[in-house]
Amino acid sequence: RGPRMSAGLNRWKPYPAYKESGVEWLGQVPEGWEVKRLKFGVDNINQKCLEEAPLTPFVALEHIEPWTGKLMVDESSQSDGQPSCYQSDDVLFCKLRPYLAKVHLAKVNGICTSELLVLRAQHGIFPKYLHRFLLSRDTIDCITASTYGAKMPRANWEFIGNLLLPIPPLPEQRAIAAFLDQQCAQIDSLIEKKQRMLDLLDEKRRAVITQAVTRGLDPTVPMKDSGVEWLGKVPEGWKVGRVAFGYDIVLGKMLQPSPNSEKDIAVPYYRAMNVQWESIDSDLKVMWATPEEIKTFSVRQGDMLVCEGGEVGRAAIINLPVDEPTIIQNALHRVRSFKDCNICYLLRVLEHVASADWFSVLCNKSTIAHFTGEKFKALKCPPPPLPEQQAIADYLDAQCAAMDSQRKNLEKSIELLREYRASLITHAVTGKIDVRDVAPLQ
């Protein structure tokens, strides 16, 4: 957060004079600010709603966007357990450690899940300032260190209530809140624009792959009906046949956590979770297998691994040499191409099938989908002649690499904006920057 954020934060000046706060994580605060425990300016409202109380609006943990406090969906009409009542301007703070950054400033009266503390600003504390203080990374980090419990660690009010809160004069609290409202709105707008660019980039990627693997690279060639619903028309010179005609498909070995005989050997294996689209994680576990099974289920460079369950059809190619015998579990298919077929081309075909959501149809998805060996081998594929397959694969490698680079740049930009947003909030509510002349006092 430090060096990368300093350039952006340098545009805001510090206060003319500071004093020691007496709090290690807080450091110095501006002269004229108080520092007191949260419980002396904020009430924890533990009012449980009666059964006959109206059930709308209801706020659950999943409704609150972390680090912004925005509601991602409208409040629900469904409640859970014994909900708590809240009023407009109350701050809803999640006490579960994985979700401490979910902090919402209520705009209307309602009820919420009991996993949210209802905090009401009193005694000269401005609700919006309290909301921003609880969204400060320093505050979240401090509360995180206090959480207890093994299964679902949580914070308690006793600790949160004893947090030392830096308190500027009330008009200054309002000025800080107005400043952060304005700045965060601008940052959020930039983030939303970049998110839309990511969505458009994903659409473009899908369209480029679909066009290449079903229409080829020459838009002038005559087309014919493929007879396959998800394919539509294909170039006249292409043949449409089962994947099994061009590729060898083997489903992996059932997990064997211990040896069954003295012949068994401990061998690393790939699981479905090791395989993401176009990338393979090499963090492997070990199972036991016979020498014959190792030979049957082993993998080598150039093999494609395809998920049989979960996100069915998710696939990637092993691009590095396999230095020791390694096999696959039965959650994966191993695919090798025959001499007239290109494995990279099939990978792009599977990406198209996934983007068209056709795996759900192929697997008759109702509960848990399984892309069995029979279904995989029967999948219709439109392979053009081998040189054209290679040309399509090379073209898509270049196009997708360029788009992936754009995606990484956008994601990095979004990450930096979020870091700057969090750092700006922390610096403003702890008095590290003076925004009194930036936002008009209210």
Side-chain angles (χ1 to χ4, degrees):
R1 290 203 303 273
R4 286 187 293 179
M5 294 297 101
S6 60
L9 293 169
N10 282 342
R11 59 187 292 204
W12 316 113
K13 64 182 181 180
Y15 277 78
Y18 287 87
K19 64 181 180 181
E20 291 297 330
S21 68
V23 184
E24 183 179 355
W25 66 267
L26 187 55
Q28 293 184 327
V29 295
E31 285 189 354
W33 286 32
E34 293 183 81
V35 177
K36 64 181 182 181
R37 299 195 184 279
L38 192 72
K39 63 185 179 182
F40 297 137
V42 175
D43 292 338
N44 177 28
I45 309 300
N46 286 312
Q47 182 181 357
K48 301 300 180 184
C49 297
L50 301 175
E51 290 186 5
E52 61 269 19
L55 295 181
T56 53
F58 173 74
V59 175
L61 298 185
E62 61 267 23
H63 297 162
I64 303 174
E65 183 177 68
W67 298 112
T68 69
K70 296 177 182 177
L71 291 183
M72 295 183 287
V73 296
D74 291 336
E75 293 96 332
S76 168
S77 61
Q78 301 296 318
S79 62
D80 60 349
Q82 191 176 14
S84 302
C85 294
Y86 65 84
Q87 297 177 5
S88 174
D89 283 337
D90 284 347
V91 177
L92 310 182
F93 181 89
C94 179
K95 54 190 176 184
L96 299 180
R97 186 166 74 191
Y99 312 109
L100 291 176
K102 289 177 175 276
V103 188
H104 173 63
L105 178 63
K107 295 180 174 60
V108 295
N109 297 349
I111 61 176
C112 64
T113 174
S114 57
E115 296 296 355
L116 289 165
L117 292 176
V118 178
L119 306 181
R120 188 166 297 162
Q122 307 277 11
H123 317 298
I125 305 297
F126 186 48
K128 281 189 176 183
Y129 178 79
L130 172 64
H131 176 234
R132 296 298 187 184
F133 172 78
L134 291 173
L135 274 174
S136 161
R137 282 195 185 274
D138 286 351
T139 305
I140 297 294
D141 289 346
C142 188
I143 296 174
T144 298
S146 77
T147 54
Y148 64 93
K151 187 175 181 181
M152 184 58 77
R154 63 187 63 227
N156 61 29
W157 169 247
E158 182 178 354
F159 179 86
I160 296 172
N162 280 302
L163 276 176
L164 288 164
L165 171 67
I167 305 175
L170 186 58
E172 205 166 322
Q173 293 180 46
R174 294 178 181 274
I176 291 170
F179 166 79
L180 289 175
D181 283 349
Q182 179 190 56
Q183 294 296 314
C184 290
Q186 292 176 359
I187 296 169
D188 291 345
S189 177
L190 283 173
I191 291 174
E192 287 175 7
K193 288 177 182 177
K194 291 181 183 294
Q195 290 283 12
R196 285 196 295 272
M197 291 171 68
L198 283 175
D199 293 339
L200 291 172
L201 198 58
D202 288 342
E203 289 180 16
K204 179 182 177 182
R205 194 181 199 277
R206 290 192 293 267
V208 168
I209 292 173
T210 296
Q211 176 70 24
V213 300
T214 63
R215 303 291 188 271
L217 303 179
D218 183 356
T220 66
V221 298
M223 306 295 287
K224 66 178 181 182
D225 189 358
S226 69
V228 181
E229 185 176 348
W230 62 269
L231 271 178
K233 291 185 176 182
V234 298
E236 277 189 356
W238 292 20
K239 296 179 180 179
V240 177
R242 299 171 64 205
V243 168
F245 294 155
Y247 301 88
D248 177 57
I249 299 170
V250 174
L251 185 65
K253 172 182 165 58
M254 184 176 294
L255 180 62
Q256 183 184 332
S258 58
N260 292 332
S261 74
E262 60 182 16
K263 293 182 179 180
D264 287 353
I265 301 170
V267 60
Y269 70 95
Y270 286 104
R271 302 163 288 160
M273 67 183 301
N274 292 117
V275 178
Q276 302 301 321
W277 282 111
E278 299 185 52
S279 69
I280 296 180
D281 177 10
S282 59
D283 181 18
L284 305 184
K285 293 185 177 295
V286 173
M287 74 158 86
W288 293 82
T290 66
E292 293 78 13
E293 288 172 330
I294 293 174
K295 183 177 179 180
T296 300
F297 302 114
S298 65
V299 298
R300 66 191 184 205
Q301 186 176 13
D303 286 346
M304 181 164 66
L305 306 184
V306 181
C307 293
E308 186 270 349
E311 186 187 350
V312 297
R314 190 175 67 224
I317 296 170
I318 300 175
N319 289 319
L320 297 175
V322 181
D323 297 327
E324 62 177 324
T326 306
I327 64 174
I328 54 170
Q329 190 187 357
N330 63 341
L332 290 172
H333 298 286
R334 184 199 67 202
V335 185
R336 290 176 180 167
S337 58
F338 299 145
K339 63 179 181 178
D340 291 333
C341 291
N342 182 287
I343 198 75
C344 297
Y345 172 77
L346 180 61
L347 173 64
R348 300 303 183 181
V349 171
L350 294 180
E351 286 191 65
H352 166 61
V353 176
S355 68
D357 200 27
W358 198 249
F359 281 120
S360 297
V361 178
L362 294 172
C363 299
N364 303 314
K365 185 176 181 180
S366 55
T367 52
I368 300 176
H370 289 282
F371 191 36
T372 64
E374 291 74 18
K375 291 173 182 175
F376 195 174
K377 292 173 184 178
L379 176 67
K380 294 294 181 68
C381 182
L386 185 58
E388 194 172 350
Q389 291 181 47
Q390 185 65 57
I392 290 171
D394 292 344
Y395 167 79
L396 288 177
D397 283 349
Q399 291 290 313
C400 291
M403 287 184 279
D404 290 345
S405 178
Q406 288 179 269
R407 164 170 279 280
K408 287 181 181 178
N409 289 337
L410 284 169
E411 289 173 341
K412 186 64 176 177
S413 178
I414 290 172
E415 178 188 350
L416 288 173
L417 282 169
R418 286 175 173 159
E419 287 184 11
Y420 176 68
R421 186 187 197 281
S423 189
L424 186 65
I425 291 172
T426 296
H427 279 68
V429 299
T430 58
K432 302 299 184 291
I433 57 176
D434 184 354
V435 300
R436 290 173 297 178
D437 296 333
V438 179
L441 297 179
Q442 298 181 12

